[in-house]
Amino acid sequence: MSARRPFVAANWKMNKTIEETEAFLGDFLPRVAGVEGTEIVICPPYLALKSVVETCVQSRVEVAAQNMHQEAEGAFTGEVSAPMLRELGVGWVVLGHSERRTYFCETDDALAEKLPAALDAGLGPILCVGETESQREAGATEDVLRRQVEIDLAAVPDERLSDVVIAYEPVWAIGTGRTATAEQAEQAIGFIRALVASRSAEAAAAIRVVYGGSVKPDNARELLERDEIDGGLVGGASLDPEGFAAIVAAAGP
Ligand code: PEP
């Protein structure tokens, strides 16, 4: 069993109104009230952030945004910045999700600026990396992970690396119902940890690297019980309070 604290985050994507969010929390928070060891994070759409922060303030549940701009302010219509998220009481931010990389032209160069901007503002970045199906079939998984990890974390000082959570999310497993096997996930996560170790052995021992891609209540334990896998980033299955609470339970001892 690793000494790293399990980390489980719910990525709601563009789902749930504020009213639906409150209904979810009314059901979910009592279910996880007794959970002590695992860090639980909800990533709602921007408009529900304030309400989730306020509702979760008395609980151990933390809150993440799903993206942010690298600049603190300026002429960037439609964007929000790290200081704006901090002002709301948000603690984390998802960066580099494959949907942002695929549909919204998120680049590794932009992520190289977003990671330090998030940390400087006091946000914990949840950095998503992962290969597509064709990259895996071409044997390029490690090259893709190496490029993403090296560029995206390039401007993060070694002593801050362990403030980042890395989510290994093979693109072919996101929202598809196809889950990486525990062996595949553990192998990729071990490789990511080795990349971090090439910069700092101390950071590699401390940084949390979680798995994302069709995690469900019925496959969560098999994945999350593995020593290398420090938790999960959960999309579809996190929309249901009972199911997400079961996944949180599976990440614990
Ligand atoms: C995600 O959105 O990060 C994700 C892993 O989605 P899903 O669990 O639905 O595959």
Side-chain angles (χ1 to χ4, degrees):
M1 175 109 191
S2 111
R4 294 178 293 270
R5 187 175 176 209
F7 181 97
V8 181
N11 176 21
W12 285 356
K13 316 190 187 208
M14 196 174 71
N15 291 294
K16 293 197 191 290
T17 61
I18 294 174
E19 197 179 327
E20 289 165 345
T21 297
E22 288 306 317
F24 174 99
L25 293 173
D27 186 331
F28 177 71
L29 293 180
R31 291 180 186 273
V32 296
V35 175
E36 284 186 6
T38 302
E39 195 158 8
I40 307 167
V41 180
I42 308 267
C43 322
Y46 289 130
L47 294 179
L49 283 171
K50 188 167 192 294
S51 127
V52 179
V53 167
E54 285 170 1
T55 304
C56 292
V57 77
Q58 306 284 24
S59 75
R60 290 200 187 82
V61 173
E62 299 166 59
V63 186
Q66 296 175 16
N67 183 33
M68 54 162 248
H69 195 272
Q70 55 270 41
E71 298 294 334
E73 60 186 7
F76 301 104
T77 302
E79 294 288 327
V80 303
S81 73
M84 293 170 186
L85 296 170
R86 282 302 298 150
E87 185 187 33
L88 283 184
V90 170
W92 295 90
V93 60
V94 178
L95 293 174
H97 191 279
S98 69
E99 286 151 19
R100 296 228 51 96
R101 292 178 190 260
T102 305
Y103 305 135
F104 302 101
C105 306
E106 182 80 277
T107 64
D108 289 307
D109 288 342
L111 290 164
E113 294 182 36
K114 289 185 181 196
L115 267 288
L119 287 166
D120 288 349
L123 290 170
I126 304 166
L127 172 66
C128 303
V129 297
E131 79 290 356
T132 62
E133 183 160 36
S134 58
Q135 288 166 333
R136 176 165 279 267
E137 279 168 1
T141 298
E142 293 192 350
D143 290 342
V144 172
L145 296 177
R146 182 183 296 105
R147 191 181 67 240
Q148 292 176 335
V149 169
E150 285 183 357
I151 299 176
D152 301 353
L153 294 174
V156 175
D158 288 357
E159 63 276 13
R160 303 261 2 229
L161 283 171
S162 60
D163 295 329
V164 177
V165 170
I166 301 179
Y168 168 60
E169 298 212 306
V171 180
W172 47 270
I174 298 179
T176 59
R178 287 175 60 199
T179 314
T181 62
E183 289 73 25
Q184 286 172 322
E186 207 168 38
Q187 193 175 13
I189 287 174
F191 179 71
I192 291 168
R193 201 176 297 288
L195 292 172
V196 176
S198 69
R199 287 188 49 184
S200 160
E202 205 181 320
I207 194 169
R208 279 143 341 144
V209 189
V210 305
Y211 168 77
S214 298
V215 176
K216 308 267 185 265
D218 60 2
N219 62 23
R221 183 149 311 264
E222 186 190 339
L223 288 155
L224 305 185
E225 73 184 2
R226 296 287 177 128
D227 265 2
E228 271 297 332
I229 307 179
D230 297 322
L233 179 56
V234 187
S238 73
L239 296 169
D240 169 58
E242 187 179 355
F244 187 51
I247 293 171
V248 168

Short mmCIF file of all heavy atoms in Angstrom, two decimals, residues 97-160:
data_model
loop_
_atom_site.label_atom_id
_atom_site.label_comp_id
_atom_site.label_asym_id
_atom_site.label_seq_id
_atom_site.Cartn_x
_atom_site.Cartn_y
_atom_site.Cartn_z
N HIS A 97 -7.37 18.16 -20.40
CA HIS A 97 -8.27 17.03 -20.65
C HIS A 97 -8.30 16.75 -22.15
O HIS A 97 -8.26 17.67 -22.96
CB HIS A 97 -9.68 17.35 -20.12
CG HIS A 97 -10.56 16.13 -20.11
ND1 HIS A 97 -11.20 15.68 -21.24
CD2 HIS A 97 -10.89 15.26 -19.12
CE1 HIS A 97 -11.88 14.58 -20.93
NE2 HIS A 97 -11.70 14.30 -19.66
N SER A 98 -8.44 15.49 -22.51
CA SER A 98 -8.37 15.15 -23.95
C SER A 98 -9.49 15.81 -24.75
O SER A 98 -9.32 16.11 -25.93
CB SER A 98 -8.41 13.63 -24.14
OG SER A 98 -9.68 13.14 -23.80
N GLU A 99 -10.64 16.07 -24.10
CA GLU A 99 -11.70 16.77 -24.85
C GLU A 99 -11.28 18.20 -25.16
O GLU A 99 -11.63 18.75 -26.20
CB GLU A 99 -13.02 16.71 -24.06
CG GLU A 99 -13.63 15.30 -24.12
CD GLU A 99 -14.45 14.91 -22.91
OE1 GLU A 99 -14.87 15.80 -22.15
OE2 GLU A 99 -14.65 13.69 -22.72
N ARG A 100 -10.53 18.81 -24.28
CA ARG A 100 -10.03 20.17 -24.56
C ARG A 100 -8.93 20.10 -25.62
O ARG A 100 -8.84 20.95 -26.49
CB ARG A 100 -9.54 20.85 -23.29
CG ARG A 100 -10.67 21.05 -22.28
CD ARG A 100 -10.73 22.43 -21.70
NE ARG A 100 -10.72 23.50 -22.66
CZ ARG A 100 -11.81 24.12 -23.14
NH1 ARG A 100 -13.02 23.75 -22.77
NH2 ARG A 100 -11.69 25.10 -24.00
N ARG A 101 -8.10 19.06 -25.53
CA ARG A 101 -7.04 18.94 -26.54
C ARG A 101 -7.66 18.68 -27.92
O ARG A 101 -7.23 19.23 -28.92
CB ARG A 101 -6.09 17.79 -26.18
CG ARG A 101 -5.23 18.03 -24.92
CD ARG A 101 -4.36 16.80 -24.65
NE ARG A 101 -3.69 16.81 -23.37
CZ ARG A 101 -2.40 17.14 -23.19
NH1 ARG A 101 -1.64 17.49 -24.20
NH2 ARG A 101 -1.85 17.09 -21.99
N THR A 102 -8.71 17.83 -27.96
CA THR A 102 -9.28 17.42 -29.25
C THR A 102 -10.23 18.47 -29.83
O THR A 102 -10.16 18.77 -31.02
CB THR A 102 -10.05 16.09 -29.08
OG1 THR A 102 -9.17 15.14 -28.51
CG2 THR A 102 -10.58 15.57 -30.41
N TYR A 103 -11.14 18.99 -29.01
CA TYR A 103 -12.20 19.86 -29.56
C TYR A 103 -11.88 21.35 -29.45
O TYR A 103 -12.52 22.16 -30.11
CB TYR A 103 -13.53 19.63 -28.84
CG TYR A 103 -14.00 18.19 -28.83
CD1 TYR A 103 -14.49 17.61 -27.66
CD2 TYR A 103 -13.97 17.43 -29.99
CE1 TYR A 103 -14.93 16.30 -27.64
CE2 TYR A 103 -14.40 16.11 -29.98
CZ TYR A 103 -14.88 15.55 -28.80
OH TYR A 103 -15.30 14.26 -28.78
N PHE A 104 -10.96 21.72 -28.56
CA PHE A 104 -10.73 23.15 -28.30
C PHE A 104 -9.25 23.53 -28.48
O PHE A 104 -8.81 24.54 -27.95
CB PHE A 104 -11.23 23.53 -26.90
CG PHE A 104 -12.69 23.21 -26.72
CD1 PHE A 104 -13.10 22.08 -26.03
CD2 PHE A 104 -13.66 24.04 -27.27
CE1 PHE A 104 -14.45 21.77 -25.89
CE2 PHE A 104 -15.01 23.75 -27.13
CZ PHE A 104 -15.41 22.61 -26.44
N CYS A 105 -8.54 22.72 -29.25
CA CYS A 105 -7.17 23.07 -29.67
C CYS A 105 -6.23 23.36 -28.50
O CYS A 105 -5.32 24.19 -28.63
CB CYS A 105 -7.18 24.28 -30.61
SG CYS A 105 -8.27 24.07 -32.00
N GLU A 106 -6.44 22.70 -27.37
CA GLU A 106 -5.49 22.87 -26.25
C GLU A 106 -4.14 22.31 -26.66
O GLU A 106 -4.08 21.18 -27.16
CB GLU A 106 -6.02 22.10 -25.03
CG GLU A 106 -5.18 22.22 -23.79
CD GLU A 106 -5.41 23.52 -23.04
OE1 GLU A 106 -4.80 24.54 -23.42
OE2 GLU A 106 -6.21 23.52 -22.09
N THR A 107 -3.09 23.08 -26.47
CA THR A 107 -1.76 22.61 -26.88
C THR A 107 -0.86 22.39 -25.66
O THR A 107 -1.08 22.98 -24.60
CB THR A 107 -1.06 23.64 -27.80
OG1 THR A 107 -0.85 24.84 -27.03
CG2 THR A 107 -1.89 23.93 -29.03
N ASP A 108 0.17 21.60 -25.86
CA ASP A 108 1.14 21.40 -24.77
C ASP A 108 1.86 22.71 -24.44
O ASP A 108 2.18 22.95 -23.28
CB ASP A 108 2.13 20.29 -25.14
CG ASP A 108 1.47 18.92 -25.13
OD1 ASP A 108 0.85 18.57 -24.11
OD2 ASP A 108 1.53 18.20 -26.14
N ASP A 109 2.06 23.54 -25.45
CA ASP A 109 2.73 24.83 -25.17
C ASP A 109 1.87 25.71 -24.26
O ASP A 109 2.39 26.37 -23.36
CB ASP A 109 3.05 25.57 -26.48
CG ASP A 109 4.18 24.88 -27.24
OD1 ASP A 109 4.92 24.10 -26.61
OD2 ASP A 109 4.30 25.12 -28.45
N ALA A 110 0.56 25.71 -24.50
CA ALA A 110 -0.33 26.49 -23.61
C ALA A 110 -0.33 25.86 -22.22
O ALA A 110 -0.30 26.57 -21.20
CB ALA A 110 -1.75 26.53 -24.18
N LEU A 111 -0.33 24.54 -22.16
CA LEU A 111 -0.33 23.87 -20.86
C LEU A 111 0.96 24.17 -20.08
O LEU A 111 0.92 24.29 -18.85
CB LEU A 111 -0.52 22.35 -21.04
CG LEU A 111 -1.93 21.98 -21.49
CD1 LEU A 111 -1.98 20.56 -22.03
CD2 LEU A 111 -2.92 22.16 -20.34
N ALA A 112 2.05 24.33 -20.80
CA ALA A 112 3.31 24.66 -20.12
C ALA A 112 3.19 26.00 -19.41
O ALA A 112 3.89 26.25 -18.43
CB ALA A 112 4.44 24.69 -21.14
N GLU A 113 2.30 26.86 -19.90
CA GLU A 113 2.08 28.15 -19.20
C GLU A 113 0.98 28.02 -18.15
O GLU A 113 1.00 28.69 -17.12
CB GLU A 113 1.69 29.23 -20.21
CG GLU A 113 2.79 29.56 -21.20
CD GLU A 113 2.38 30.67 -22.15
OE1 GLU A 113 1.67 31.60 -21.74
OE2 GLU A 113 2.77 30.59 -23.33
N LYS A 114 -0.01 27.17 -18.42
CA LYS A 114 -1.13 27.05 -17.49
C LYS A 114 -0.70 26.40 -16.16
O LYS A 114 -1.19 26.79 -15.09
CB LYS A 114 -2.26 26.22 -18.12
CG LYS A 114 -2.99 26.95 -19.24
CD LYS A 114 -4.18 26.16 -19.75
CE LYS A 114 -4.89 26.91 -20.88
NZ LYS A 114 -6.24 26.40 -21.16
N LEU A 115 0.17 25.39 -16.23
CA LEU A 115 0.55 24.69 -14.99
C LEU A 115 1.16 25.64 -13.97
O LEU A 115 0.69 25.72 -12.83
CB LEU A 115 1.50 23.53 -15.32
CG LEU A 115 0.94 22.13 -15.56
CD1 LEU A 115 0.44 21.49 -14.27
CD2 LEU A 115 -0.10 22.06 -16.63
N PRO A 116 2.23 26.42 -14.34
CA PRO A 116 2.79 27.33 -13.32
C PRO A 116 1.80 28.43 -12.93
O PRO A 116 1.81 28.87 -11.77
CB PRO A 116 4.05 27.89 -13.99
CG PRO A 116 3.95 27.56 -15.43
CD PRO A 116 3.05 26.37 -15.55
N ALA A 117 0.97 28.88 -13.87
CA ALA A 117 0.00 29.93 -13.54
C ALA A 117 -0.98 29.42 -12.48
O ALA A 117 -1.33 30.14 -11.53
CB ALA A 117 -0.76 30.38 -14.79
N ALA A 118 -1.42 28.18 -12.62
CA ALA A 118 -2.32 27.60 -11.63
C ALA A 118 -1.64 27.51 -10.26
O ALA A 118 -2.18 27.96 -9.24
CB ALA A 118 -2.77 26.21 -12.09
N LEU A 119 -0.42 26.98 -10.24
CA LEU A 119 0.29 26.81 -8.97
C LEU A 119 0.57 28.15 -8.31
O LEU A 119 0.39 28.31 -7.10
CB LEU A 119 1.61 26.06 -9.21
CG LEU A 119 1.46 24.56 -9.51
CD1 LEU A 119 2.76 24.00 -10.07
CD2 LEU A 119 1.03 23.79 -8.27
N ASP A 120 0.97 29.15 -9.12
CA ASP A 120 1.28 30.47 -8.55
C ASP A 120 0.04 31.09 -7.91
O ASP A 120 0.15 31.84 -6.93
CB ASP A 120 1.82 31.42 -9.63
CG ASP A 120 3.23 31.04 -10.05
OD1 ASP A 120 3.84 30.20 -9.36
OD2 ASP A 120 3.71 31.58 -11.06
N ALA A 121 -1.13 30.78 -8.47
CA ALA A 121 -2.37 31.36 -7.93
C ALA A 121 -2.88 30.56 -6.73
O ALA A 121 -3.84 30.96 -6.08
CB ALA A 121 -3.44 31.41 -9.02
N GLY A 122 -2.30 29.40 -6.47
CA GLY A 122 -2.74 28.60 -5.33
C GLY A 122 -3.70 27.48 -5.70
O GLY A 122 -4.37 26.91 -4.83
N LEU A 123 -3.77 27.17 -7.00
CA LEU A 123 -4.62 26.05 -7.44
C LEU A 123 -3.77 24.79 -7.62
O LEU A 123 -2.63 24.88 -8.08
CB LEU A 123 -5.27 26.36 -8.79
CG LEU A 123 -6.34 27.44 -8.83
CD1 LEU A 123 -6.68 27.78 -10.28
CD2 LEU A 123 -7.60 26.98 -8.09
N GLY A 124 -4.34 23.64 -7.31
CA GLY A 124 -3.68 22.37 -7.59
C GLY A 124 -4.08 21.92 -8.99
O GLY A 124 -5.25 21.72 -9.26
N PRO A 125 -3.11 21.78 -9.90
CA PRO A 125 -3.46 21.31 -11.25
C PRO A 125 -3.67 19.80 -11.29
O PRO A 125 -2.92 19.04 -10.67
CB PRO A 125 -2.24 21.69 -12.09
CG PRO A 125 -1.34 22.50 -11.22
CD PRO A 125 -1.69 22.16 -9.80
N ILE A 126 -4.70 19.38 -12.01
CA ILE A 126 -4.91 17.96 -12.32
C ILE A 126 -4.61 17.83 -13.81
O ILE A 126 -5.44 18.21 -14.65
CB ILE A 126 -6.37 17.54 -12.02
CG1 ILE A 126 -6.74 17.86 -10.57
CG2 ILE A 126 -6.57 16.04 -12.34
CD1 ILE A 126 -8.25 17.80 -10.28
N LEU A 127 -3.41 17.39 -14.13
CA LEU A 127 -2.95 17.38 -15.52
C LEU A 127 -3.31 16.05 -16.19
O LEU A 127 -2.90 14.99 -15.73
CB LEU A 127 -1.42 17.58 -15.58
CG LEU A 127 -0.80 17.38 -16.96
CD1 LEU A 127 -1.28 18.46 -17.94
CD2 LEU A 127 0.72 17.36 -16.86
N CYS A 128 -4.09 16.12 -17.28
CA CYS A 128 -4.48 14.91 -17.99
C CYS A 128 -3.53 14.64 -19.15
O CYS A 128 -3.24 15.54 -19.94
CB CYS A 128 -5.89 15.05 -18.56
SG CYS A 128 -7.13 15.43 -17.31
N VAL A 129 -3.08 13.41 -19.22
CA VAL A 129 -2.23 12.98 -20.34
C VAL A 129 -2.73 11.61 -20.81
O VAL A 129 -3.38 10.90 -20.05
CB VAL A 129 -0.74 12.87 -19.93
CG1 VAL A 129 -0.18 14.23 -19.52
CG2 VAL A 129 -0.54 11.86 -18.79
N GLY A 130 -2.43 11.28 -22.05
CA GLY A 130 -2.84 9.95 -22.52
C GLY A 130 -2.79 9.86 -24.02
O GLY A 130 -2.86 10.88 -24.72
N GLU A 131 -2.68 8.63 -24.50
CA GLU A 131 -2.52 8.38 -25.93
C GLU A 131 -3.86 8.03 -26.58
O GLU A 131 -4.76 7.54 -25.91
CB GLU A 131 -1.53 7.23 -26.14
CG GLU A 131 -2.07 5.81 -25.93
CD GLU A 131 -2.38 5.46 -24.49
OE1 GLU A 131 -2.11 6.26 -23.59
OE2 GLU A 131 -2.92 4.33 -24.25
N THR A 132 -3.96 8.26 -27.89
CA THR A 132 -5.13 7.82 -28.64
C THR A 132 -4.97 6.34 -28.97
O THR A 132 -3.89 5.75 -28.81
CB THR A 132 -5.28 8.60 -29.96
OG1 THR A 132 -4.12 8.31 -30.75
CG2 THR A 132 -5.40 10.11 -29.73
N GLU A 133 -6.05 5.77 -29.51
CA GLU A 133 -6.00 4.35 -29.87
C GLU A 133 -4.95 4.11 -30.97
O GLU A 133 -4.17 3.17 -30.89
CB GLU A 133 -7.38 3.90 -30.35
CG GLU A 133 -7.43 2.44 -30.67
CD GLU A 133 -8.85 1.90 -30.67
OE1 GLU A 133 -9.75 2.63 -31.09
OE2 GLU A 133 -9.03 0.75 -30.25
N SER A 134 -4.92 5.00 -31.97
CA SER A 134 -3.97 4.75 -33.06
C SER A 134 -2.53 4.93 -32.57
O SER A 134 -1.63 4.21 -33.02
CB SER A 134 -4.27 5.65 -34.27
OG SER A 134 -4.23 6.98 -33.88
N GLN A 135 -2.32 5.84 -31.64
CA GLN A 135 -0.97 5.99 -31.08
C GLN A 135 -0.58 4.73 -30.31
O GLN A 135 0.55 4.25 -30.40
CB GLN A 135 -0.91 7.22 -30.17
CG GLN A 135 -0.96 8.53 -30.96
CD GLN A 135 -1.24 9.76 -30.11
OE1 GLN A 135 -1.88 9.67 -29.06
NE2 GLN A 135 -0.78 10.91 -30.56
N ARG A 136 -1.52 4.16 -29.54
CA ARG A 136 -1.20 2.91 -28.82
C ARG A 136 -0.89 1.79 -29.80
O ARG A 136 0.08 1.06 -29.65
CB ARG A 136 -2.36 2.52 -27.89
CG ARG A 136 -2.14 1.18 -27.18
CD ARG A 136 -3.07 0.96 -26.01
NE ARG A 136 -2.63 1.64 -24.81
CZ ARG A 136 -1.87 1.09 -23.84
NH1 ARG A 136 -1.47 -0.17 -23.95
NH2 ARG A 136 -1.53 1.77 -22.78
N GLU A 137 -1.74 1.69 -30.85
CA GLU A 137 -1.53 0.60 -31.82
C GLU A 137 -0.20 0.75 -32.55
O GLU A 137 0.42 -0.24 -32.94
CB GLU A 137 -2.69 0.56 -32.82
CG GLU A 137 -3.89 -0.16 -32.22
CD GLU A 137 -5.16 0.01 -33.03
OE1 GLU A 137 -5.12 0.68 -34.09
OE2 GLU A 137 -6.19 -0.52 -32.58
N ALA A 138 0.22 2.00 -32.70
CA ALA A 138 1.49 2.24 -33.40
C ALA A 138 2.69 2.09 -32.45
O ALA A 138 3.83 2.34 -32.84
CB ALA A 138 1.49 3.63 -34.02
N GLY A 139 2.41 1.73 -31.20
CA GLY A 139 3.51 1.55 -30.23
C GLY A 139 4.09 2.87 -29.75
O GLY A 139 5.23 2.93 -29.28
N ALA A 140 3.27 3.97 -29.85
CA ALA A 140 3.80 5.29 -29.53
C ALA A 140 3.36 5.80 -28.16
O ALA A 140 3.58 6.97 -27.84
CB ALA A 140 3.37 6.28 -30.62
N THR A 141 2.75 4.93 -27.36
CA THR A 141 2.21 5.39 -26.07
C THR A 141 3.27 6.12 -25.23
O THR A 141 3.03 7.22 -24.73
CB THR A 141 1.63 4.19 -25.27
OG1 THR A 141 0.57 3.63 -26.05
CG2 THR A 141 1.10 4.61 -23.91
N GLU A 142 4.45 5.51 -25.09
CA GLU A 142 5.46 6.12 -24.21
C GLU A 142 5.97 7.43 -24.80
O GLU A 142 6.22 8.39 -24.06
CB GLU A 142 6.60 5.13 -23.94
CG GLU A 142 6.11 3.96 -23.10
CD GLU A 142 7.23 3.09 -22.55
OE1 GLU A 142 8.40 3.27 -22.97
OE2 GLU A 142 6.93 2.23 -21.70
N ASP A 143 6.08 7.50 -26.13
CA ASP A 143 6.53 8.77 -26.75
C ASP A 143 5.53 9.88 -26.48
O ASP A 143 5.90 11.01 -26.17
CB ASP A 143 6.66 8.61 -28.28
CG ASP A 143 7.82 7.72 -28.64
OD1 ASP A 143 8.69 7.51 -27.78
OD2 ASP A 143 7.84 7.22 -29.78
N VAL A 144 4.23 9.55 -26.58
CA VAL A 144 3.18 10.56 -26.36
C VAL A 144 3.22 11.01 -24.91
O VAL A 144 3.20 12.22 -24.61
CB VAL A 144 1.79 9.98 -26.71
CG1 VAL A 144 0.68 10.93 -26.29
CG2 VAL A 144 1.71 9.67 -28.20
N LEU A 145 3.29 10.07 -23.99
CA LEU A 145 3.30 10.42 -22.56
C LEU A 145 4.55 11.24 -22.23
O LEU A 145 4.47 12.23 -21.50
CB LEU A 145 3.24 9.17 -21.69
CG LEU A 145 1.96 8.33 -21.81
CD1 LEU A 145 2.05 7.07 -20.96
CD2 LEU A 145 0.74 9.15 -21.40
N ARG A 146 5.68 10.84 -22.81
CA ARG A 146 6.92 11.57 -22.52
C ARG A 146 6.80 13.02 -23.00
O ARG A 146 7.10 13.96 -22.26
CB ARG A 146 8.11 10.90 -23.20
CG ARG A 146 9.45 11.62 -22.89
CD ARG A 146 10.65 11.03 -23.60
NE ARG A 146 10.94 9.67 -23.20
CZ ARG A 146 10.70 8.59 -23.92
NH1 ARG A 146 10.16 8.71 -25.12
NH2 ARG A 146 10.99 7.39 -23.47
N ARG A 147 6.28 13.20 -24.22
CA ARG A 147 6.17 14.56 -24.76
C ARG A 147 5.24 15.39 -23.88
O ARG A 147 5.56 16.52 -23.49
CB ARG A 147 5.65 14.50 -26.20
CG ARG A 147 5.75 15.84 -26.92
CD ARG A 147 5.20 15.79 -28.33
NE ARG A 147 3.76 15.57 -28.33
CZ ARG A 147 3.15 14.53 -28.89
NH1 ARG A 147 3.84 13.62 -29.52
NH2 ARG A 147 1.84 14.42 -28.84
N GLN A 148 4.08 14.83 -23.54
CA GLN A 148 3.10 15.60 -22.76
C GLN A 148 3.66 15.95 -21.38
O GLN A 148 3.59 17.09 -20.94
CB GLN A 148 1.79 14.81 -22.64
CG GLN A 148 1.07 14.68 -23.98
CD GLN A 148 -0.18 13.81 -23.90
OE1 GLN A 148 -0.31 12.95 -23.04
NE2 GLN A 148 -1.10 14.02 -24.83
N VAL A 149 4.21 14.95 -20.70
CA VAL A 149 4.71 15.19 -19.34
C VAL A 149 5.87 16.18 -19.37
O VAL A 149 5.93 17.13 -18.58
CB VAL A 149 5.12 13.86 -18.66
CG1 VAL A 149 5.89 14.11 -17.37
CG2 VAL A 149 3.87 13.02 -18.39
N GLU A 150 6.80 15.98 -20.31
CA GLU A 150 7.99 16.86 -20.33
C GLU A 150 7.60 18.30 -20.64
O GLU A 150 8.05 19.23 -19.98
CB GLU A 150 9.03 16.33 -21.32
CG GLU A 150 9.73 15.11 -20.75
CD GLU A 150 10.84 14.55 -21.64
OE1 GLU A 150 11.04 15.07 -22.78
OE2 GLU A 150 11.47 13.58 -21.21
N ILE A 151 6.76 18.50 -21.67
CA ILE A 151 6.43 19.89 -22.05
C ILE A 151 5.49 20.52 -21.01
O ILE A 151 5.72 21.63 -20.54
CB ILE A 151 5.76 19.95 -23.45
CG1 ILE A 151 6.71 19.40 -24.52
CG2 ILE A 151 5.35 21.39 -23.79
CD1 ILE A 151 6.11 19.31 -25.91
N ASP A 152 4.44 19.80 -20.63
CA ASP A 152 3.43 20.42 -19.77
C ASP A 152 3.99 20.81 -18.40
O ASP A 152 3.54 21.78 -17.79
CB ASP A 152 2.22 19.48 -19.60
CG ASP A 152 1.57 19.12 -20.93
OD1 ASP A 152 1.96 19.70 -21.96
OD2 ASP A 152 0.68 18.25 -20.94
N LEU A 153 4.95 20.02 -17.93
CA LEU A 153 5.51 20.29 -16.59
C LEU A 153 6.84 21.05 -16.64
O LEU A 153 7.46 21.27 -15.60
CB LEU A 153 5.70 18.98 -15.83
CG LEU A 153 4.42 18.22 -15.46
CD1 LEU A 153 4.75 16.87 -14.84
CD2 LEU A 153 3.57 19.04 -14.50
N ALA A 154 7.25 21.47 -17.85
CA ALA A 154 8.59 22.03 -18.00
C ALA A 154 8.83 23.24 -17.09
O ALA A 154 9.92 23.41 -16.56
CB ALA A 154 8.84 22.41 -19.46
N ALA A 155 7.80 24.07 -16.91
CA ALA A 155 8.01 25.31 -16.14
C ALA A 155 7.59 25.16 -14.67
O ALA A 155 7.54 26.15 -13.93
CB ALA A 155 7.24 26.46 -16.79
N VAL A 156 7.30 23.93 -14.26
CA VAL A 156 6.98 23.69 -12.84
C VAL A 156 8.29 23.35 -12.13
O VAL A 156 8.97 22.39 -12.52
CB VAL A 156 5.97 22.53 -12.69
CG1 VAL A 156 5.74 22.21 -11.22
CG2 VAL A 156 4.65 22.87 -13.38
N PRO A 157 8.67 24.11 -11.10
CA PRO A 157 9.92 23.79 -10.40
C PRO A 157 9.85 22.40 -9.75
O PRO A 157 8.76 21.96 -9.35
CB PRO A 157 10.02 24.87 -9.31
CG PRO A 157 8.94 25.86 -9.57
CD PRO A 157 7.95 25.25 -10.52
N ASP A 158 10.98 21.75 -9.64
CA ASP A 158 11.01 20.39 -9.08
C ASP A 158 10.30 20.31 -7.73
O ASP A 158 9.59 19.34 -7.44
CB ASP A 158 12.46 19.91 -8.89
CG ASP A 158 13.14 19.62 -10.22
OD1 ASP A 158 12.46 19.72 -11.27
OD2 ASP A 158 14.35 19.31 -10.21
N GLU A 159 10.50 21.34 -6.90
CA GLU A 159 9.93 21.27 -5.55
C GLU A 159 8.41 21.45 -5.55
O GLU A 159 7.77 21.25 -4.53
CB GLU A 159 10.61 22.27 -4.61
CG GLU A 159 10.46 23.73 -4.95
CD GLU A 159 11.47 24.24 -5.99
OE1 GLU A 159 12.16 23.42 -6.64
OE2 GLU A 159 11.56 25.46 -6.16
N ARG A 160 7.82 21.82 -6.71
CA ARG A 160 6.36 21.94 -6.76
C ARG A 160 5.71 20.80 -7.54
O ARG A 160 4.47 20.73 -7.65
CB ARG A 160 5.95 23.28 -7.41
CG ARG A 160 6.50 24.49 -6.75
CD ARG A 160 5.63 25.26 -5.78
NE ARG A 160 4.33 24.86 -5.45
CZ ARG A 160 3.27 25.68 -5.47
NH1 ARG A 160 3.39 26.91 -5.87
NH2 ARG A 160 2.07 25.25 -5.07
#
